[in-house]
Amino acid sequence: MFFISFVQTGTFVLVGNTILEVGNMNMAYFLVLFSTACFANMLGLNISASFRNAVTIYILIPFLIIPQLLLSGVIVEFDKLNPGFSSDEYVPITGEVMASKWAYEALATEQFKSNNYEKHFFESDQKISENGFKISYLIPKLESKLNNIFAHVERGTQSQALENEIALCKTELELLEKTPGATPFYRLRNLTSSRYDSTSHHQTLNQLQILKKKYSKLKADALTERDVIYNDLVKEMGKAGLVELKRRNHNSNLAYLVTNREQLVKVHETNGRLIQKKDPIFLTPSSNFGNAHFYAPVKMLGGIEINTFLFNILVIWFMTASLYMTLYYDTLRKTLRFISNLFVKYY
């Protein structure tokens, strides 16, 4: 069955990518589709080995396929799910257990960042996005919150909402301190409802302004770096050649999706954090355990950056290997029999 899938996915990619003019992505598409097909083979074999009745299997098929479609991240956005099943910072568990999510995300991120056009600019674009977000959204949001906190402290207001705002600002300022080249917020220890005075407030705001200037410089450097790369490419292939390279490789609809342009709220406040919603494809995840937002360019595992394409394919094969073990040891059928016996015994 794996051999048949190898032939099917190989011919599908060769024909489909030729017709759709998907340039230089044949191997990436083949690896993802072949891996997903192998997972599907093992899932089907588990079902057929566990249920002897063909009617039961036919009834089960929609229950297996429809969630893979709905929870792949294509049709329903993960942060639009019911609050009990969604997450603003990471892909929720309902998405993580779907092989279709890992496959689609692998293809989307790889096609955007590694195509023959964007691969020249991705690192520069990432720096531009990262620093631009801090300049235009994160720091202004923190300044607004600090002004609001100071106004309430001056009036002597005491409330849980104020304490929550203070905790959020502390968390975000501590994270800013950890960014390369950032200076410590010396008055951060005074950010409490009883100790936040005028001196602490204005010094913190001044330090945020210094950081904003630093990020502006980094963004300007990244823009200059991008211009240099662009001019080098123009010298190498001519302006018309570069335009043609972009036309053949850059997908505007895909860029719209992975940069989340339809999202009006660029920074979302939830659970005592400010979560970036702008440009997920340029945002490095904060978790070191493989958790990440949708369309993350890399996954972090024990402090090591792993390309999303590679990481996701490994996850799909891990899921496939797990299904192989359940098939080999007949785990699913034995589990169903055990549950059935319990049901008969107690009911």
Side-chain angles (χ1 to χ4, degrees):
M1 292 182 73
F2 278 21
F3 175 74
I4 292 171
S5 295
F6 181 90
V7 174
Q8 286 179 325
T9 53
T11 53
F12 177 83
V13 168
L14 287 174
V15 174
N17 283 11
T18 300
I19 293 173
L20 296 174
E21 297 184 357
V22 180
N24 300 297
M25 294 292 295
N26 287 350
M27 184 54 69
Y29 270 71
F30 170 74
L31 286 173
V32 170
L33 295 179
F34 174 65
S35 300
T36 311
C38 291
F39 166 84
N41 285 333
M42 296 311 305
L43 180 62
L45 288 172
N46 270 273
I47 297 301
S48 62
S50 303
F51 299 95
R52 301 300 182 188
N53 191 324
V55 175
T56 304
I57 294 174
Y58 293 148
I59 293 172
L60 277 175
I61 288 174
F63 290 97
L64 296 173
I65 294 178
I66 291 173
Q68 294 284 348
L69 295 172
L70 292 177
L71 299 173
S72 64
V74 182
I75 297 176
V76 181
E77 296 178 27
F78 291 121
D79 56 2
K80 300 293 193 297
L81 294 172
N82 184 287
F85 297 93
S86 65
S87 171
D88 288 295
E89 188 171 4
Y90 303 123
V91 174
I93 189 65
T94 48
E96 299 284 34
V97 297
M98 298 295 157
S100 56
K101 172 265 172 185
W102 296 99
Y104 168 68
E105 184 186 43
L107 279 179
T109 55
E110 184 70 5
Q111 184 164 343
F112 177 81
K113 65 190 285 254
S114 299
N115 68 69
N116 283 346
Y117 177 80
E118 181 61 29
K119 69 181 182 181
H120 299 288
F121 303 105
F122 184 80
E123 288 187 10
S124 300
D125 288 342
Q126 190 172 28
K127 295 173 188 174
I128 293 167
S129 172
E130 177 185 346
N131 292 292
F133 172 78
K134 290 173 181 173
I135 295 164
S136 302
Y137 298 101
L138 181 59
I139 291 179
K141 186 80 170 177
L142 287 172
E143 289 173 335
S144 174
K145 286 186 172 295
L146 288 169
N147 285 328
N148 184 53
I149 290 169
F150 181 64
H152 282 285
V153 170
E154 285 281 277
R155 292 197 297 267
T157 305
Q158 296 288 333
S159 67
Q160 186 58 49
L162 177 62
E163 295 299 329
N164 292 340
E165 288 283 273
I166 290 172
L168 183 148
C169 287
K170 272 188 174 180
T171 299
E172 295 300 329
L173 291 173
E174 286 169 355
L175 289 173
L176 279 177
E177 283 182 331
K178 296 176 183 178
T179 57
T183 55
F185 289 92
Y186 301 107
R187 299 274 181 167
L188 188 56
R189 64 182 181 277
N190 291 339
L191 186 51
T192 66
S193 57
S194 60
R195 299 175 61 186
Y196 194 55
D197 54 16
S198 178
T199 303
S200 300
H201 178 59
H202 289 101
Q203 184 170 343
T204 304
L205 291 182
N206 287 338
Q207 286 184 267
L208 284 173
Q209 285 302 311
I210 292 170
L211 272 181
K212 187 181 282 191
K213 290 178 182 177
K214 173 182 175 292
Y215 295 136
S216 297
K217 171 84 167 51
L218 290 172
K219 182 180 179 181
D221 291 343
L223 285 166
T224 301
E225 179 184 280
R226 195 185 196 284
D227 288 340
V228 169
I229 296 170
Y230 180 86
N231 292 330
D232 288 345
L233 288 172
V234 169
K235 289 177 184 177
E236 179 183 335
M237 61 183 66
K239 193 165 186 178
L242 186 57
V243 170
E244 178 63 14
L245 181 70
K246 182 175 182 180
R247 187 195 71 79
R248 293 183 64 85
N249 292 277
H250 181 75
N251 187 310
S252 298
N253 288 333
L254 177 61
Y256 185 87
L257 288 173
V258 298
T259 55
N260 207 11
R261 286 182 197 165
E262 69 173 11
Q263 178 64 257
L264 298 178
V265 179
K266 305 301 181 183
V267 54
H268 183 66
E269 182 178 339
T270 180
N271 297 326
R273 285 292 315 280
L274 295 177
I275 306 300
Q276 178 177 336
K277 291 297 183 181
K278 179 180 181 291
D279 295 343
I281 189 62
F282 296 123
L283 177 62
T284 302
S286 57
S287 172
N288 277 321
F289 301 100
N291 293 23
H293 56 278
F294 200 43
Y295 298 130
V298 296
K299 303 293 173 67
M300 302 296 296
L301 197 60
I304 301 172
E305 283 190 8
I306 304 174
N307 186 285
T308 292
F309 179 75
L310 174 61
F311 187 92
N312 286 20
I313 286 181
L314 290 175
V315 170
I316 294 172
W317 277 105
F318 173 78
M319 296 168 76
T320 304
S322 300
L323 287 175
Y324 172 80
M325 297 306 295
T326 61
L327 179 66
Y328 186 83
Y329 291 105
D330 204 14
T331 306
L332 180 58
R333 187 177 62 83
K334 291 176 181 177
T335 302
L336 290 172
R337 179 182 292 176
F338 176 75
I339 294 172
S340 176
N341 290 338
L342 281 180
F343 185 83
V344 170
K345 180 178 180 180
Y346 291 104
Y347 295 97

